[in-house]
Amino acid sequence: MLGGAGMLLAASPAQAADISYRTECIPPPISGLPPVQGTTKVQLTAPAEAKVGDTVEVVWKTVEAASRNPDVLDLEKDTVKPTGTIKVGGAATGTLKMEGPRQNPPIPKSSAMVLPDMKGTLKLEKAGEITLTPDAYNINVSKPISTDTKCTPKETVQPGATIKVTGGGGSTTAGGTTTGSTTAGGTTTAGGTTTGSTTAGGTTTAGGTTAGGTTAAGGTTSGSGGTTSGSGGGQTDFPGKEVSVNFACTSPGPAGIASKVTINAKKSGGSYALTVKTAKGVMDSPAALPAGALKPSMDVVIGGADKGSVKVTGPANAAPLEQGKPVDLSDMTGTYKPGASGKSTLSPGTLTIDVTLGSSKINIPCKVKGSVTPSLELDTTAQQGGASGGTTTGSAGSTAGGTDSGGGLAATGAEDNGTLRALGLVAGTAILLGGAVFTFTPWRRLRGTR
């Protein structure tokens, strides 16, 4: 059996040769990006000669990775860890597991990937020539979340080293698997991290708003189709109608999200406390996310007599999100202060997903694609300092589904090329390490509207 134990041998001149082979690298699932085709160049170092019973060290040096670090974010020092396998042939058969330390210099965006050397040990148990051929490898990045990029050969690879084993005695178990210096894949679990990803679109049920003193179950629209008048009979609760919206997200977010959105209002003086609800379980979580990592917000578009927008925001996820499980976004709340008198409409606008892990944060904007029907119409009376043409940073409201005005609303605008691309869906949702050997961007498995 090819395996660990024995004295490590470095005797006999070591041999090293560069082997190049076509490679396909699969970005992390949370990235939603297609496979990357490239060329891997590897240099294997092993003793040219050894004896039966010796344990030799094999070193895998990645001269050139199959892809460059994409234009998404700078990788921090000591965040990259490779693992891989070497096929053992000739007088022995099996696989040798390789592992490198989590060690690398800072790697800027759009620059060559720099991977540390991987090592493994091989016990020689049969005389003859043993060939060593580089095979698949995995690249794990630990920050801002743990992600794995899996790379496999797409052509027959030539041996990178040959060891001439002399002496008699032992036998090698056919198909035996060598144990490398560490267990296979010793990387952190793929996607075990934030990320993710950010959830886009998923969300709390649009339920429980009251219309004229009666409850509109499940967030269904009122009899008037969600269009109400703010002046009649002292009415204070105005349920909106559920409208279908298609969102197009900016990288590293999902390509698109389809969701039902409902905007409800509760009148308080001359202003309105808004509650925006999205569909339930629009997508599966692309990665495991801790509690407090994901927070939604939206720019509600004001039309009709009044103009401008109102920013509403929801609380972060209260419980951890499991990878592959449906995700609901929390209800988003804020305050609309009219800036004009007349019939004013409220429509869904840009949805922003905020992902935060520790000090790392990124905003992923998802803009409305195509036209959208207003969810609510109100009979408004202009208020001093109201919206008419501007953006109202409404009160944040309390919890999901709340209608009271609370403290100041947190701004969650999209930062196109700055934080967005630099952090690439950071820690918590992750560094969806973009398109090449690393990617970060959730959402390959968007779910249909529920």
Side-chain angles (χ1 to χ4, degrees), residues 272-332:
Y272 297 85
L274 304 182
T275 298
V276 178
K277 299 171 179 288
T278 53
K280 183 179 178 62
V282 174
M283 60 167 285
D284 290 341
S285 178
L289 296 176
L294 188 150
K295 184 177 181 180
S297 64
M298 180 182 285
D299 293 323
V300 175
V301 179
I302 306 168
D306 202 1
K307 304 295 180 185
S309 64
V310 179
K311 212 172 250 306
V312 294
T313 188
N317 56 302
L321 302 177
E322 297 182 38
Q323 182 174 5
K325 299 293 184 180
V327 176
D328 298 341
L329 293 182
S330 59
D331 289 356
M332 294 166 278

Side-chain angles (χ1 to χ4, degrees), residues 200-201 244-247 256-260 279 282 446-450:
S244 297
V245 186
N246 290 316
F247 295 97
I257 298 170
S259 177
K260 300 287 189 180
V282 174
L446 290 177
R447 299 167 63 87
T449 301
R450 298 186 176 187

Side-chain angles (χ1 to χ4, degrees), residues 25 27-28 31 33-34 36 65-75 80 107-114 139 141 147 149 251-252 420-424 431-441:
C25 293
S31 72
L33 297 177
V36 175
S67 177
R68 300 170 65 83
N69 181 28
D71 183 24
V72 175
L73 66 137
D74 298 328
L75 300 181
V80 178
I107 304 176
K109 293 179 293 186
S110 301
S111 63
M113 289 302 307
V114 181
I139 301 172
V141 176
T147 57
T149 296
S251 176
L420 179 70
R421 295 184 61 74
L423 294 181
I431 204 173
L432 299 174
L433 286 166
V437 176
F438 302 86
T439 58
F440 253 138
T441 306

Side-chain angles (χ1 to χ4, degrees), residues 15-271:
Q15 53 178 320
D18 288 356
I19 299 296
S20 297
Y21 54 96
R22 288 187 292 106
T23 308
E24 180 179 74
C25 293
I26 306 298
I30 58 175
S31 72
L33 297 177
V36 175
Q37 308 299 324
T39 298
T40 299
K41 183 181 291 185
V42 174
Q43 184 181 92
L44 295 185
T45 302
E49 296 182 0
K51 296 180 180 179
V52 171
D54 290 340
T55 296
V56 299
E57 180 179 71
V58 179
V59 179
W60 170 319
K61 179 180 180 63
T62 303
V63 179
E64 181 181 322
S67 177
R68 300 170 65 83
N69 181 28
D71 183 24
V72 175
L73 66 137
D74 298 328
L75 300 181
E76 296 180 18
K77 182 177 184 293
D78 298 340
T79 57
V80 178
K81 178 185 178 70
T83 55
T85 57
I86 288 177
K87 289 184 178 180
V88 180
T93 57
T95 57
L96 174 62
K97 295 174 183 177
M98 308 292 288
E99 181 176 2
R102 191 173 296 283
Q103 185 178 66
N104 62 278
I107 304 176
K109 293 179 293 186
S110 301
S111 63
M113 289 302 307
V114 181
L115 304 179
D117 293 350
M118 294 185 282
K119 297 181 179 181
T121 57
L122 176 65
K123 185 174 181 181
L124 308 174
E125 299 183 348
K126 186 176 181 180
E129 288 192 347
I130 293 180
T131 60
L132 303 174
T133 304
D135 195 34
Y137 59 98
N138 183 82
I139 301 172
N140 175 265
V141 176
S142 60
K143 291 183 179 180
I145 61 170
S146 176
T147 57
D148 288 299
T149 296
K150 302 179 184 299
C151 301
T152 55
K154 300 306 290 183
E155 65 178 328
T156 300
V157 184
Q158 298 302 310
T162 300
I163 304 175
K164 183 177 181 180
V165 184
T166 60
S171 60
T172 301
T173 302
T177 301
T178 65
T179 51
S181 58
T182 62
T183 58
T187 63
T188 57
T189 58
T193 144
T194 52
T195 188
S197 252
T198 339
T199 64
T203 193
T204 62
T205 60
T209 56
T210 60
T214 59
T215 300
T220 56
T221 63
S222 63
S224 62
T227 299
T228 62
S229 170
S231 60
Q235 183 179 359
T236 58
D237 294 296
F238 303 96
K241 67 179 179 180
E242 187 181 71
V243 294
S244 297
V245 186
N246 290 316
F247 295 97
C249 301
T250 300
S251 176
I257 298 170
S259 177
K260 300 287 189 180
V261 178
T262 306
I263 302 173
N264 300 314
K266 182 179 181 69
K267 190 173 183 180
S268 177
S271 298

Side-chain angles (χ1 to χ4, degrees), residues 3-18:
M7 178 178 289
L8 190 64
L9 181 72
S12 176
Q15 53 178 320
D18 288 356

Side-chain angles (χ1 to χ4, degrees), residues 364-426:
I364 299 176
C366 299
K367 296 183 178 181
V368 173
K369 184 178 181 180
S371 60
V372 62
T373 303
S375 175
L376 182 63
E377 182 181 86
L378 298 171
D379 231 350
T380 60
T381 301
Q383 304 293 311
Q384 185 175 3
S388 72
T391 297
T392 301
T393 303
S395 304
S398 51
T399 59
T403 56
D404 293 331
S405 300
L409 181 72
T412 53
E415 299 165 283
D416 294 334
N417 296 317
T419 304
L420 179 70
R421 295 184 61 74
L423 294 181
L425 189 46
V426 317

